[in-house]
Amino acid sequence: MKMTSLDRLLLLITGLLSAYQIVVGINDLSTAPIIAYTIAFGVLLVAGLLLIILGFDALDAPIVVIVSTIIPLTLSLGLVWEHSAAFRVPYLVFVVLGFLAVSITRSTPMQNKLPTATIALVHGVAGLTIFLLPIVIALQGQVQPAFALVGVGGALIGLGGLLLSFLKAGKPILSRETILKVLPGLLLLMTACFVAGFRFG
Amino acid sequence: MSALMTKIRLYWPLIKSTQTGLLLATGIAGYLSAGTLIGLPTLLGVSLTLFLAISGSTIMNMWYDHDIDAKMKRTHKRPAAAGLLSRTEVYWVGMVISAIGVGGALAIAPLYGLVVFAGWFFDVIVYTLWLKRRTCWSIVWGGVSGAMPILAGRVLATGQIDLVGILLALAILFWIPTHTLTFSIKFREDYANAGVPTFPSTYGETFTRATIAVSSVLAAIAIGWASVLIGVSAGYLRLIAVLTAGLLLLAFATFRVGSERVNFGLFKYASLYMLASMIILAITAF
């Protein structure tokens, strides 16, 4: 499917918002969340640029499933590290093992449902963490209410991740055309929610 | 009036505006990277002299290479190659613009002018007239020439050739193969038809792709090192690191996958990367 000028514009704004977040949005945090968020928004930025350059066909590359796992994993790791100190080490272990599991199951030919189950588990846990943690701590008053926007972004990234993963697994929830039509807007909305949540939360 | 407009329409493609614009951006970034207070007249002087010197050398390239341009699909419509402008006219336009650019640069500051002249000399004399038709290694000298605007900008701001200036020049020097070798793979038949030796035709595509990957790594190291020495803030360093990771990933993919699409993706990303790096260096110095 051909990428329209509007798609490119939306992806460019997504990239610029990600760049803003990397440069100024995470300056006051400690080292581990800075690294985690830099990776997350960095993948978003580079992926946006590559989509603009290569078009939607870039999504057909097998590595996309692995790379798209990095965003929720590192975002959720940053959130857990910042706001849930007791779970730092166990969650870091989950992130490392989760990423390795996705990488191995996606790069080794398998006939069973293990690759899909692995993706669903890893995306599910990371997505729920990004969705629930900001909303819970915002409700508890630990952060400003606007931080809940990060949770909204989490819901959107979960939705985008699911749509793309099932499409790549050959069991699309929506048609490829529909997914590609909404993807740039979804990415922008998601990134805007993250940036606004971090800025005002 | 319409005759003048027609001339401008014919002259404009002679300067390869995108390439000239990118090199000009590196020169301005080199100047601003020193973090000195910008004097508007000086900034205008840098912009104008670099623009004219780079444009002049590009026109001289068009003048000399009109015959091989005419044999290549990609370039046969260029005004000199297509016969829309006479060779003599192109030559004099190139020489006059070059003289004004280099002369103006020398008038602003002798060392700055010398570096600008070196860029012109390496491009026109060493690369175009001497080596381009003889050896595929001519691109190294084309690269040296392309590295001069950023060094010139830095030299004008600092009054000397310092380590940062050399690193910035090296970054451009190593970035240029990423750009030109990718191009030479995509248009290898064109170059073969014109009898221009290229890396793919001399050493094969695998070696060329490996060279692209290695030069990308070296460009990234040089730009990263220069950024640290300039004192780029942590936030912008993170951004440069992210963009660099993208460049290295694509360079690695080009080497491993070797598809035409990934190849051209690297070509475009490398330009974007260099432009973004220059903008970051320019704005963070303040």
Side-chain angles (χ1 to χ4, degrees):
Chain A
M1 187 175 148
K2 206 167 161 35
M3 188 176 279
T4 64
S5 299
L6 179 64
D7 292 335
R8 287 179 208 279
L9 181 66
L10 295 176
L11 289 168
L12 182 65
I13 299 171
T14 302
L16 289 173
L17 281 175
S18 303
Y20 166 84
Q21 190 64 17
I22 291 166
V23 174
V24 292
I26 51 178
N27 264 344
D28 302 328
L29 306 177
S30 59
T31 308
I34 283 182
I35 293 172
Y37 293 141
T38 299
I39 295 171
F41 287 101
V43 171
L44 256 175
L45 168 60
V46 173
L49 291 176
L50 291 181
L51 275 175
I52 292 172
I53 291 171
L54 298 171
F56 286 126
D57 291 347
L59 293 171
D60 296 333
I63 200 170
V64 167
V65 177
I66 298 170
V67 172
S68 63
T69 312
I70 296 174
I71 301 173
L73 278 177
T74 48
L75 257 179
S76 58
L77 176 63
L79 287 169
V80 169
W81 202 276
E82 240 192 307
H83 300 288
S84 186
F87 291 96
R88 281 177 181 174
V89 176
Y91 199 79
L92 178 62
V93 172
F94 164 75
V95 166
V96 173
L97 291 180
F99 182 68
L100 284 176
V102 170
S103 303
I104 292 167
T105 54
R106 283 287 148 183
S107 51
T108 313
M110 289 181 188
Q111 297 298 324
N112 53 32
K113 292 182 176 174
L114 187 61
T116 310
T118 308
I119 280 281
L121 178 69
V122 172
H123 267 277
V125 173
L128 278 175
T129 305
I130 305 170
F131 175 51
L132 291 176
L133 187 58
I135 293 173
V136 169
I137 59 174
L139 287 173
Q140 287 174 345
Q142 292 181 37
V143 289
Q144 297 290 322
F147 197 69
L149 279 171
V150 176
V152 178
L156 293 172
I157 198 176
L159 179 66
L162 278 176
L163 289 175
L164 276 180
S165 298
F166 280 93
L167 176 69
K168 295 290 292 178
K171 296 164 187 164
I173 300 168
L174 296 171
S175 71
R176 180 185 164 87
E177 284 69 28
T178 308
I179 293 172
L180 296 185
K181 203 173 277 181
V182 300
L183 189 65
L186 192 68
L187 283 173
L188 174 57
L189 194 59
M190 174 193 92
T191 311
C193 284
F194 285 140
V195 173
F198 280 110
R199 176 73 180 83
F200 303 111
Chain B
M1 191 65 185
S2 71
L4 181 68
M5 291 306 293
T6 306
K7 280 287 179 199
I8 291 173
R9 257 200 302 275
L10 287 172
Y11 286 167
W12 188 251
L14 290 176
I15 68 166
K16 295 185 191 169
S17 53
T18 308
Q19 181 186 296
T20 297
L22 200 51
L23 289 173
L24 178 61
T26 67
I28 293 170
Y31 178 71
L32 295 178
S33 72
T36 48
L37 285 173
I38 312 172
L40 191 60
T42 314
L43 191 61
L44 280 174
V46 175
S47 306
L48 192 63
T49 51
L50 277 179
F51 175 75
L52 291 173
I54 297 165
S55 299
S57 67
T58 309
I59 295 171
M60 294 308 289
N61 177 282
M62 293 264 187
W63 159 72
Y64 191 74
D65 283 343
H66 79 288
D67 54 338
I68 54 177
D69 281 348
K71 291 177 187 165
M72 294 167 66
K73 272 187 208 156
R74 184 173 66 82
T75 55
H76 74 281
K77 286 184 180 167
R78 286 177 178 171
L84 300 171
L85 290 169
S86 75
R87 276 197 80 199
T88 313
E89 184 177 0
V90 174
Y91 173 81
W92 281 111
V93 169
M95 283 305 282
V96 168
I97 289 180
S98 298
I100 297 172
V102 175
L106 282 165
I108 290 174
L111 186 57
Y112 166 68
L114 199 64
V115 178
V116 172
F117 174 71
W120 185 92
F121 180 82
F122 282 122
D123 188 39
V124 177
I125 308 297
V126 179
Y127 171 69
T128 305
L129 268 62
W130 182 20
L131 295 175
K132 185 174 177 181
R133 297 167 193 237
R134 289 181 171 84
T135 168
C136 63
W137 289 95
S138 63
I139 61 156
V140 173
W141 297 101
V144 171
S145 165
M148 289 301 113
I150 197 165
L151 182 62
R154 178 84 189 172
V155 160
L156 183 61
T158 60
Q160 60 179 342
I161 296 175
D162 62 355
L163 179 59
V164 172
I166 291 169
L167 285 170
L168 290 175
L170 283 174
I172 304 292
L173 173 64
F174 289 125
W175 162 74
I176 282 176
T178 308
H179 198 81
T180 51
L181 291 183
T182 310
F183 226 59
S184 67
I185 291 176
K186 185 172 171 67
F187 297 106
R188 55 186 169 275
E189 283 179 20
D190 252 8
Y191 284 106
N193 288 341
V196 177
T198 61
F199 263 60
S201 65
T202 309
Y203 299 108
E205 279 196 27
T206 307
F207 182 79
T208 307
R209 290 186 204 286
T211 308
I212 290 172
V214 170
S215 68
S216 301
V217 173
L218 293 174
I221 290 171
I223 213 93
W225 189 358
S227 303
V228 172
L229 291 180
I230 287 170
V232 170
S233 69
Y236 281 107
L237 275 181
R238 289 196 293 270
L239 185 56
I240 288 177
V242 162
L243 292 171
T244 301
L247 181 74
L248 298 182
L249 189 76
L250 265 178
F252 180 71
T254 300
F255 181 58
R256 283 296 298 270
V257 182
S259 79
E260 197 72 28
R261 221 162 51 80
V262 175
N263 211 26
F264 213 60
L266 174 64
F267 170 76
K268 288 186 173 176
Y269 186 92
S271 300
L272 205 61
Y273 171 80
M274 196 44 71
L275 187 63
S277 301
M278 292 304 115
I279 291 171
I280 291 170
L281 290 185
I283 60 176
T284 58
F286 298 90

